[in-house]
Amino acid sequence: MLEKMADKLSSIDMKELEEQLESAIEEDKKYWLRNEAKLKAVSDHVETYNEFKNLVDAAHLKPLDKSDNLSKEKLNKTIWNKFAEKDSCKNDCSVSSDHVNHNSNKSSEGNSNLKPEKDTEAPPDITCADKNNFLDILNRSEDKLTSLITLGAPQFVEIFQNEISSSTLVEVLKVLSSFDRNSVDHIVFVSEFLGELINIERFSITLSFLSSEEKQTVESLFEKLNSCFILKSSELKELCFDEDHLSALKIVYQL
């Protein structure tokens, strides 16, 4: 009988038994720590289940003490959650590493196909402007006068056919004032543009409500035009533009 018991004891793996005992002790500690955390959470009247769950799950964790002096090497080797399964940790690390490598390779492949972006945004197309965004598009144009020439007087009048505000009118007149006095094409364009503006409804009312400073913009434009009609009189007459044409415009613009 004793021999059988001795044989049975000798067949027991003491190391495995010790590991099982340590595991049971750790599980028992974990149980009582979690149980204490549950009681504390209830007594503290936690507001949500997630808050309750987080307190219980972190019951076995201990905050660092001032006396703790952890080097970088020690930090890397420290097991912060001793109840976490080692196999699970290894799998997670392996998956994370593969995921990072995959994304890194994918990113490298993607970057090789990327084209450098342009530093400057393409200028807005003024032909797509409407009454609400016209001034914004005009002010963002690299060459405002060229933008007006591209748009054309008839389309401008179509945009503001019912009414044009004094602020918009003054801004447009300022742009027209930037024309090249030595360019016959510019002189003709500005003259025709001014003639088209009068087709906007209630245009005369808008003119009458201009401030004295805004009216100076109108006067300056016509003074520049007047000098150009004198300077380029022969060339303009060939195109049926003379001082009488300019005088008629002055009357309409209340000058």
Side-chain angles (χ1 to χ4, degrees):
M1 183 71 178
L2 292 174
E3 291 180 358
K4 289 183 179 180
M5 290 180 64
D7 292 339
K8 193 172 183 180
L9 287 173
S10 62
S11 64
I12 296 176
D13 188 341
M14 298 303 294
K15 186 176 181 180
E16 182 180 354
L17 183 62
E18 184 179 354
E19 289 177 353
Q20 290 178 359
L21 179 61
E22 289 179 354
S23 177
I25 293 173
E26 290 294 338
E27 286 296 326
D28 188 63
K29 287 181 179 179
K30 182 180 179 181
Y31 169 81
W32 289 110
L33 285 171
R34 290 171 64 87
N35 188 66
E36 184 179 353
K38 290 177 183 178
L39 295 174
K40 187 176 186 303
V42 172
S43 63
D44 290 345
H45 303 288
V46 294
E47 296 182 356
T48 64
Y49 171 75
N50 286 335
E51 187 178 353
F52 173 85
K53 183 176 182 298
N54 290 336
L55 287 171
V56 174
D57 290 343
H60 61 285
L61 300 178
K62 292 182 179 180
L64 290 175
D65 191 72
K66 291 182 179 180
S67 60
D68 292 326
N69 185 16
L70 298 178
S71 63
K72 185 176 181 181
E73 182 180 355
K74 191 173 181 180
L75 281 171
N76 293 333
K77 293 181 179 179
T78 301
I79 301 175
W80 298 101
N81 189 348
K82 60 183 178 180
F83 295 112
E85 294 182 3
K86 294 182 179 180
D87 292 340
S88 176
C89 181
K90 289 180 180 178
N91 291 335
D92 290 343
C93 292
S94 176
V95 171
S96 298
S97 177
D98 293 341
H99 181 68
V100 170
N101 292 334
H102 174 72
N103 285 343
S104 177
N105 294 334
K106 187 175 180 181
S107 177
S108 299
E109 293 174 1
N111 289 336
S112 62
N113 296 325
L114 289 177
K115 295 181 180 179
E117 295 181 358
K118 294 182 179 180
D119 294 333
T120 56
E121 184 180 354
D125 186 1
I126 198 166
T127 59
C128 299
D130 57 31
K131 189 175 182 178
N132 297 321
N133 64 7
F134 177 83
L135 277 184
D136 179 59
I137 293 178
L138 180 65
N139 290 328
R140 289 165 58 194
S141 302
E142 294 180 0
D143 188 336
K144 297 179 182 180
L145 182 60
T146 301
S147 295
L148 282 184
I149 294 173
T150 301
L151 178 65
Q155 188 171 344
F156 178 87
V157 172
E158 185 176 349
I159 294 173
F160 297 95
Q161 57 183 329
N162 296 323
E163 186 179 24
I164 185 170
S165 65
S166 57
S167 58
T168 301
L169 176 60
V170 171
E171 285 300 317
V172 170
L173 294 178
K174 286 180 179 179
V175 174
L176 293 175
S177 298
S178 66
F179 74 92
D180 182 5
R181 63 175 67 247
N182 294 315
S183 171
V184 174
D185 290 337
H186 276 196
I187 298 170
V188 171
F189 169 76
V190 173
S191 300
E192 290 180 337
F193 203 102
L194 292 172
E196 288 288 341
L197 288 179
I198 63 178
N199 294 320
I200 297 175
E201 292 184 21
R202 294 185 286 276
F203 180 76
S204 59
I205 297 176
T206 302
L207 277 176
S208 62
F209 280 96
L210 293 180
S211 65
S212 57
E213 184 178 353
E214 290 171 336
K215 287 180 179 179
Q216 287 181 0
T217 302
V218 183
E219 293 172 359
S220 298
L221 173 57
F222 275 87
E223 286 175 2
K224 185 176 180 179
L225 268 179
N226 189 62
S227 63
C228 292
F229 269 75
I230 296 173
L231 181 66
K232 301 288 184 179
S233 59
S234 58
E235 296 173 74
L236 290 170
K237 283 181 180 179
E238 292 178 1
L239 299 172
C240 299
F241 284 89
D242 53 22
E243 292 182 8
D244 291 337
H245 176 82
L246 185 60
S247 298
L249 285 176
K250 286 181 179 180
I251 295 173
V252 175
Y253 280 81
Q254 303 174 10
L255 296 175

